[in-house]
Amino acid sequence: MIISASRRTDIPAFFGDWFINRIKEGFAMYRNPMRPTQVFAVSLHPKDVDAIVFWTKNPKNFLDKLKYLEEYTYYFQFTITPYGKDIEPNIPPKDEVIQTFIELSNMIGKKRVIWRYDPIIITDKMPLSYHKEKFEELCEKLSPYTQKCIISYVDFYSKAVDELNKINAKDLSVEELYNVFGAIGSIGKRYNLSVETCTEDVPIEQLGLKKAHCVDGELIRELRKEKGFCEDKEYKKDNNQRKACGCVQSIDLGIFNTCKHFCTYCYANFSRNSIIKNVEKYDEKSPLLCSYLDLEKDEVRIREKDGSRKIEKDNILQEKFNELKTIEQQSFCTMEEVFSKEDSNDWLEEKVLEYLRKIKNTIEI
């Protein structure tokens, strides 16, 4: 399985302690965004995780946690744009973010740090000439530390359209987009960057550009081979994404309405009040991010390679699981023997059942 962390929120920036606790304990839980009462548990043991894709705008506080990921294949999608506090209010000064980008690249290698100049927003105050100038300035600073830059034009999602209208963002035609991508792409080429477009239905191949695969099966296979894995896995296209998206299937551990960057163009946040309310539920020791499990209402399922299976909670609610062996917050290392079994799903189910029992006992107290 490929883990996405996360398209829905910035886990490295805001929830790094939670993620590493999940790594240490060997599993995480996440809600189905289309059916929030459906909760999945997924193994995070290295043998079950093909790769982790991090999405972030500021992983500075996450760098000291990379030591816990040595057994994993992973890479970063790192967004750096030329916008100010009016559009990206909680992003640190760009010079600081650039320095973090450089530090991360020096730690894990430039192949594993992909720069996103994304989204491009054209306004009267930020015409194409503005982006050409700013993009080149960033290329000068970042190109020695990455091999690839992914670009896209802003999407006028219903959740973001009001804010985009406030800054008079322009909804460009296909021909206008073609000119924008051509101009940005030509600059990137001068700096030996592979420039790719994300989910854009524009004939960019004519410009010598590529369509992006942000969750990239080919890159993951390459990185896994570098770590000594000999298998040649094929990863299926993610049909849950837009038609023009080139990503392969992944499991996203994030939750909408939790990103505290508060960017004007964000598709993952509905309102500031919702973000504040959800973040109040953050518990770095909980399997779920910024969410509480409801024993009665939530359906809990074990995520497997080709689907999932339901956990029967009735026995727990009726207190018929007294014979279940308790697993008391065992460390990642002490669980190695259990994980080494041929099928780790038995362990994962036991772990989830124990978590459900703890919730039940807490409610009763």
Side-chain angles (χ1 to χ4, degrees), residues 137-306:
E137 289 177 2
L138 288 170
C139 281
E140 290 177 355
K141 296 175 181 178
L142 300 177
S143 59
Y145 304 98
T146 186
Q147 297 178 344
K148 182 186 298 185
C149 179
I150 294 177
I151 62 175
S152 73
Y153 194 71
V154 68
D155 286 298
F156 284 72
Y157 294 103
S158 59
K159 302 156 190 149
V161 66
D162 289 343
E163 294 298 320
L164 290 171
N165 286 336
K166 288 178 183 178
I167 62 173
N168 296 314
K170 299 182 184 297
D171 194 357
L172 303 187
S173 67
V174 171
E175 183 178 353
E176 290 170 323
L177 287 174
Y178 187 85
N179 292 333
V180 169
F181 296 147
I184 297 298
S186 63
I187 295 171
K189 289 178 185 177
R190 293 205 301 268
Y191 289 86
N192 296 316
L193 289 174
S194 174
V195 180
E196 302 179 1
T197 62
C198 178
T199 59
E200 297 289 355
D201 194 13
V202 178
I204 47 87
E205 293 87 352
Q206 299 173 16
L207 299 168
L209 307 181
K210 299 178 181 178
K211 289 188 180 292
H213 304 264
C214 303
V215 180
D216 189 341
E218 183 176 341
L219 175 59
I220 289 169
R221 284 193 295 271
E222 183 179 337
L223 293 176
R224 285 180 64 81
K225 286 180 180 178
E226 290 177 1
K227 287 185 72 69
F229 295 98
C230 299
E231 84 278 5
D232 191 17
K233 291 188 177 182
E234 289 295 327
Y235 299 104
K236 299 178 181 179
K237 178 178 169 25
D238 192 341
N239 292 322
N240 291 321
Q241 304 299 324
R242 289 174 288 175
K243 185 177 179 180
C245 178
C247 289
V248 298
Q249 292 176 349
S250 63
I251 295 172
D252 200 298
L253 300 183
I255 182 172
F256 291 117
N257 282 314
T258 55
C259 185
K260 294 181 287 184
H261 290 314
F262 298 118
C263 298
T264 293
Y265 50 77
C266 185
Y267 62 85
N269 287 339
F270 308 158
S271 72
R272 183 178 288 258
N273 287 338
S274 295
I275 297 167
I276 294 171
K277 183 178 179 181
N278 285 335
V279 170
E280 287 177 350
K281 302 174 185 176
Y282 175 55
D283 178 356
E284 66 183 41
K285 295 182 180 179
S286 169
L288 274 166
L289 179 61
C290 295
S291 176
Y292 302 128
L293 194 68
D294 189 317
L295 268 183
E296 294 187 358
K297 295 181 180 179
D298 288 336
E299 173 191 340
V300 182
R301 304 186 70 88
I302 297 292
R303 186 65 190 256
E304 297 179 323
K305 182 178 180 181
D306 297 312

Side-chain angles (χ1 to χ4, degrees), residues 121-132:
I121 304 174
I122 300 290
T123 69
D124 290 335
K125 294 181 179 180
M126 298 185 299
L128 178 55
S129 58
Y130 169 88
H131 282 281
K132 290 167 67 175

Side-chain angles (χ1 to χ4, degrees), residues 15-104:
F15 309 115
D17 290 332
W18 173 84
F19 186 83
I20 296 304
N21 282 339
R22 295 298 89 224
I23 290 292
K24 290 178 178 178
E25 197 163 357
F27 83 105
M29 302 176 79
Y30 65 96
R31 291 188 181 275
N32 180 346
M34 306 305 294
R35 185 181 163 191
T37 57
Q38 188 177 66
V39 177
F40 293 93
V42 60
S43 171
L44 294 183
H45 188 268
K47 79 178 185 64
D48 295 322
V49 176
D50 292 326
I52 305 169
V53 182
F54 293 106
W55 310 69
T56 186
K57 292 178 179 173
N58 180 28
K60 182 177 181 179
N61 293 331
F62 196 69
L63 299 187
D64 64 348
K65 299 175 176 61
L66 297 180
K67 60 189 176 185
Y68 297 106
L69 302 176
E70 292 180 357
E71 293 187 71
Y72 295 83
T73 298
Y74 65 91
Y75 65 93
F76 281 77
Q77 296 274 345
F78 194 141
T79 297
I80 301 182
T81 59
Y83 308 126
K85 296 291 184 180
D86 57 329
I87 295 178
E88 297 176 338
N90 279 358
I91 303 296
K94 298 300 179 180
D95 287 345
E96 180 180 325
V97 177
I98 290 168
Q99 187 55 46
T100 299
F101 188 102
I102 293 171
E103 186 176 353
L104 176 61

